[in-house]
Amino acid sequence: MSGPVLSIRGLRVGIRGRRGVEEIVRGVDLDVASAEKVGVVGESGSGKTLTMLSVLQLLPSPPLAVLGGRVLLDGEDLLTADARRLREVRGGEVAMVYQDPMSSLNPLTRVGRQIVEALRAHGTGDKVARARTREVLGEVGLPHPDRIERAFPHELSGGMLQRVMIAMALATSPKVLVADEPTTALDVTIQQQILELVSRLQASTSMSVVWVTHDLGVVAQLVDRVVVMYAGRVVERAPTHRLFAAPTHPYTAALLASLPGPEIGHRRPLHQIGGTPPDPSRLGAGCPFRARCPYAEQRCAEHEPELEERGAGSFAACWKDPGAWAR
Amino acid sequence: MLLGIVRRMLSMALTLFGVSVVIFVVLRLLPGNAVTASLGVSAGLLTHAQLAALNHFYGVGQPAIEQFFSWLGSTLSGNLGVSLASREPVSTLVGQPLLVTLELAAVAMVLGVLIGVGFGMVGAIRPGRWPDDVGQGVSVVGLAIPSFVIGTGLVTFLSSTFHYFPSSQGYVSFLQDPWLNLQQIFFPALTLSLGIGAAIMRTTRAAVLEVSGLNFTRTARGKGVSTQALVWRHLFLNALVPIVTMSGIQLGYLLGGTVIVEQIFVLPGLGRLLVSSINNRDFPVVQSVTLIFATGFVVVNMLVDVLYTIIDPRTRSR
Ligand SMILES: Nc1ncnc2c1ncn2[C@@H]1O[C@H](COP(=O)(O)OP(=O)(O)OP(=O)(O)O)[C@@H](O)[C@H]1O
Ligand code: SF4
Ligand SMILES: [Mg+2]
């Protein structure tokens, strides 16, 4: 196995406020191999988007800032790359689909132009770029690409815009596609289409995919590996089938328990487990999940567990082995 | 679309009509008329018969309503009337000054927009650096000091320190001597442009800063576009609506500002003509000049609206 294409190491992101720096992403590790599809799941506010934005240095800074860690693309640290190199990577080697499609396109420019612009920024000539734009718009299942390309964002629905965003990211055939909840505004059939498209593209181009989602159903269908985030940390990572068959972190177990029945093809948002995620400013020592954890004990309040191997490719950050959950 | 244009035209016509009425009323409220203005105190020595004859001669004897409608009627048919002071047709009298004022306004506007957009963009893209501070400083000065102070200061400075006073040999048109003409126009235009530039700068800076925090700006950066493309095609383009709005407002003010600045720099523009005509109670000229100013104002507003629809597809007919 060759090394990972994208590797996030000990990434820390914080917000600089009047009361000093508050850490929101607290040391995240994430590896994505070539042609691998990795799902990132976690409740709202767990730091998924901030982690992904850090990869291309797109955090709104101020107030947010990367406090530490490295983001390696084929071994090259992107956080220390110069502006020129960063521009090559952005949209060229690593492309992103953003969470809110309604506000993520320039309202005064035709959507086709915006895709052409992405292509031209990476050296494609105007004519080829236009043809390619029409092609990708068709690929993501938009009817009449020639009409869509001349539309302004306000003339398209949320679902259509989301597909435009996906088309824009795919247009340049990036090495890594980072998609932040790319299918939330889409209905099930379109979602299915997008997932199939991404899988197909992936098979033919060895593109790697990071798929951030609330939707465990999507995860089960699309990705090879799952990373579960909680309170700015990775609490579990495992091959998809392992995660569903034998979760090794109580939070993951709770997420799975909240799914409707064994048929995991269903859509179901993640925020349906009891309690609320902790306020990042008052985490204190100890496991961040302890207030909601049915297995919490004394040591959980004293020290925060690190990610540890649990066998068969699973890693979990928990003091207790699943075998000890029974009681 | 067509309906919109018709409605626009109607509202423009109404505005201009309103302005005409107001000017007419205000002028009749001023003490004195063309007769007293041209004869001064000796008007008091006239007999009743002489006064009536002169009033008839100047056309100021009829009832006000009658005067207004006869003026309106002839203006609508393209005849601006005859000056009471010089007996020349108003349209001839107004021609040259109109060109002077248009040139002054155009140069001032161009300078103002360059100063405003330039400093505004630089300030927004690198807030807090020294060019931003310079821009902010200039804008405070530009906004706080009225143009007549700046203008008087500039004239004093140029003439006493450099013995330089381009208007001293009388105004020359651009066609006669382009270089001298530009020298004569430049300083009054600069005077006017400081206030304009300051206002446009603030608007530009604020608008661009706002746009740079929006999601689509992040998308553009995430695509790897060049800084130039990011700045102009995304930030500037999306800041353009407020910038155009502010420019339109400033152009409106500018028309009033020319009156004062032409006075200070001895430029024979519409503003000077207006002031002297008011002093002479030369009502036909005053009315025409104010109407020209008002038309300019209305046209600017219309242009601003047209620009909106060009810039922002969301404002096009829904
Ligand atoms: N611009 C910002 N300014 C201040 N705080 C922010 C900002 N963006 C995010 N945060 C905070 O950082 C935390 C993590 O945000 P992030 O967007 O990464 O969460 P997420 O996991 O993507 O959630 P979601 O599923 O809702 O998208 C949140 O608690 C949020 O309040
Ligand atoms: S460390 Fe303790 S509190 Fe945290 S998940 Fe494990 S058992 Fe629960
Ligand atoms: Mg998010």
Side-chain angles (χ1 to χ4, degrees), chain B residues 239-262:
Chain B
L240 210 46
V241 164
I243 293 174
V244 165
T245 307
M246 182 44 86
S247 302
I249 292 170
Q250 290 302 316
L251 194 51
Y253 288 155
L254 174 70
L255 296 175
T258 56
V259 176
I260 293 159
V261 167
E262 282 170 3

Side-chain angles (χ1 to χ4, degrees), chain A:
Chain A
M1 217 179 88
S2 62
V5 176
L6 181 70
S7 176
I8 300 175
R9 291 272 143 250
L11 181 74
R12 296 186 300 123
V13 176
I15 177 163
R16 289 181 209 278
R18 246 173 280 137
R19 287 174 294 118
V21 180
E22 182 182 305
E23 208 167 304
I24 297 173
V25 174
R26 305 176 302 125
V28 164
D29 291 334
L30 181 81
D31 285 328
V32 189
S34 176
E36 190 187 26
K37 289 171 284 188
V38 175
V40 177
V41 297
E43 272 168 312
S44 194
S46 56
K48 306 183 295 293
T49 298
L50 296 189
T51 302
M52 298 311 149
L53 290 178
S54 306
V55 169
L56 292 179
Q57 292 186 41
L58 293 172
L59 289 174
S61 76
L64 293 161
V66 172
L67 304 174
R70 292 191 297 165
V71 174
L72 304 170
L73 182 69
D74 286 323
E76 172 194 8
D77 193 347
L78 294 181
L79 296 182
T80 56
D82 64 17
R84 204 166 139 247
R85 176 67 189 133
L86 195 58
R87 223 167 42 229
E88 281 171 13
V89 173
R90 286 175 171 172
E93 288 162 52
V94 180
M96 218 169 148
V97 176
Y98 304 88
Q99 195 166 355
D100 181 5
M102 299 294 235
S103 64
S104 292
L105 286 164
N106 184 338
L108 306 186
T109 309
R110 295 179 199 278
V111 298
R113 270 273 121 216
Q114 301 190 49
I115 299 177
V116 168
E117 192 184 22
L119 284 157
R120 300 207 55 183
H122 299 285
T124 311
D126 193 54
K127 233 176 145 183
V128 179
R130 284 155 180 262
R132 174 76 181 132
T133 296
R134 230 159 294 150
E135 185 184 53
V136 275
L137 285 174
E139 277 178 358
V140 295
L142 285 164
H144 307 295
D146 48 326
R147 247 186 276 161
I148 300 282
E149 118 191 292
R150 278 183 284 111
F152 287 97
H154 74 277
E155 294 166 336
L156 301 178
S157 70
M160 289 168 119
L161 289 176
Q162 201 145 38
R163 276 182 282 171
V164 168
M165 295 295 296
I166 293 170
M168 185 150 88
L170 292 176
T172 52
S173 314
K175 266 192 237 175
V176 182
L177 173 73
V178 177
D180 195 354
E181 319 229 1
T183 52
T184 36
L186 303 182
D187 67 47
V188 184
T189 21
I190 303 297
Q191 210 179 114
Q192 200 63 40
Q193 254 179 47
I194 298 282
L195 295 183
E196 275 162 22
L197 166 73
V198 170
S199 293
R200 209 168 58 237
L201 273 171
Q202 231 229 319
S204 61
T205 62
S206 81
M207 175 174 74
S208 307
V209 177
V210 180
W211 202 269
V212 177
T213 183
H214 274 151
D215 195 332
L216 274 176
V218 169
V219 161
Q221 283 177 50
L222 180 77
V223 304
D224 310 315
R225 247 167 7 97
V226 182
V227 169
V228 181
M229 284 185 67
Y230 189 82
R233 285 211 157 187
V234 173
V235 293
E236 171 157 11
R237 74 168 195 257
T240 309
H241 62 94
R242 270 284 294 171
L243 186 99
F244 281 91
T248 57
H249 192 283
Y251 175 58
T252 317
L255 291 180
L256 291 174
S258 72
L259 281 177
E263 74 279 21
I264 49 182
H266 272 265
R267 282 161 60 83
R268 184 76 180 259
L270 283 186
H271 24 69
Q272 295 186 349
I273 74 169
T276 49
D279 180 343
S281 65
R282 48 182 83 180
L283 277 174
C287 174
F289 190 57
R290 66 185 181 276
R292 301 161 82 185
C293 181
Y295 318 114
E297 51 180 50
Q298 187 54 37
R299 62 178 163 168
C300 301
E302 286 159 5
H303 303 286
E304 185 163 0
E306 295 291 325
L307 212 54
E308 271 175 24
E309 169 117 47
R310 285 293 142 85
S314 282
F315 290 77
C318 175
W319 290 123
K320 289 181 110 174
D321 201 72
W325 290 354
R327 278 153 289 121

Side-chain angles (χ1 to χ4, degrees), chain B residues 17-314:
Chain B
F17 180 79
V19 170
S20 312
V21 172
V22 170
I23 294 302
F24 194 87
V25 171
V26 168
L27 286 179
R28 308 301 131 163
L29 291 178
L30 286 178
N33 60 24
V35 179
T36 56
S38 63
L39 296 182
V41 278
S42 34
L45 304 173
L46 295 171
T47 66
H48 266 295
Q50 284 171 313
L51 193 60
L54 279 169
N55 277 344
H56 181 73
F57 176 73
Y58 282 115
V60 294
Q62 299 124 320
I65 299 282
E66 213 168 291
Q67 285 182 44
F68 177 72
F69 280 103
S70 82
W71 172 79
L72 187 68
S74 59
T75 301
L76 283 179
S77 64
N79 173 9
L80 295 183
V82 173
S83 159
L84 302 184
S86 70
R87 304 313 284 169
E88 272 185 79
V90 175
S91 46
T92 320
L93 211 59
V94 148
Q96 169 85 353
L98 177 61
L99 290 179
V100 173
T101 298
L102 279 180
E103 187 186 353
L104 176 63
V107 175
M109 201 60 211
V110 168
L111 282 177
V113 169
L114 286 179
I115 295 173
V117 171
F119 276 111
M121 290 300 287
V122 169
I125 290 161
R126 301 204 186 287
R129 304 278 188 83
W130 70 262
D132 187 26
D133 296 337
V134 171
Q136 302 270 43
V138 169
S139 92
V140 169
V141 172
L143 288 177
I145 306 181
S147 62
F148 68 85
V149 175
I150 296 177
T152 317
L154 200 58
V155 167
T156 315
F157 180 69
L158 286 174
S159 54
S160 68
T161 312
F162 293 109
H163 304 289
Y164 174 73
F165 195 61
S167 304
S168 54
Q169 60 266 64
Y171 173 79
V172 293
S173 79
F174 188 79
L175 293 177
Q176 284 169 305
D177 182 348
W179 180 231
L180 183 59
N181 169 271
L182 281 182
Q183 290 179 48
Q184 291 180 336
I185 293 289
F186 178 77
F187 290 101
L190 184 69
T191 304
L192 285 169
S193 72
L194 286 183
I196 302 170
I200 295 178
M201 194 219 102
R202 297 195 150 222
T203 305
T204 305
R205 188 176 181 278
V208 171
L209 273 179
E210 197 197 318
V211 174
S212 61
L214 298 180
N215 278 347
F216 65 80
T217 306
R218 181 181 66 196
T219 307
R221 286 202 293 145
K223 290 195 290 199
V225 299
S226 66
T227 309
Q228 237 195 358
L230 180 73
V231 166
W232 296 109
R233 268 186 273 169
H234 295 274
L235 299 183
F236 181 67
L237 181 64
N238 278 275
L240 210 46
V241 164
I243 293 174
V244 165
T245 307
M246 182 44 86
S247 302
I249 292 170
Q250 290 302 316
L251 194 51
Y253 288 155
L254 174 70
L255 296 175
T258 56
V259 176
I260 293 159
V261 167
E262 282 170 3
Q263 211 64 21
I264 298 171
F265 285 87
V266 205
L267 275 181
L270 281 182
R272 264 186 90 82
L273 181 63
L274 183 65
V275 172
S276 63
S277 306
I278 291 174
N279 288 340
N280 293 335
R281 301 291 183 272
D282 195 345
F283 293 163
V285 177
V286 177
Q287 271 159 203
S288 298
V289 172
T290 15
L291 202 59
I292 291 171
F293 275 126
T295 309
F297 198 83
V298 168
V299 167
V300 165
N301 271 311
M302 191 197 64
L303 283 180
V304 165
D305 277 4
V306 170
L307 279 177
Y308 284 161
T309 60
I310 292 175
I311 298 164
D312 191 341
R314 290 166 296 188

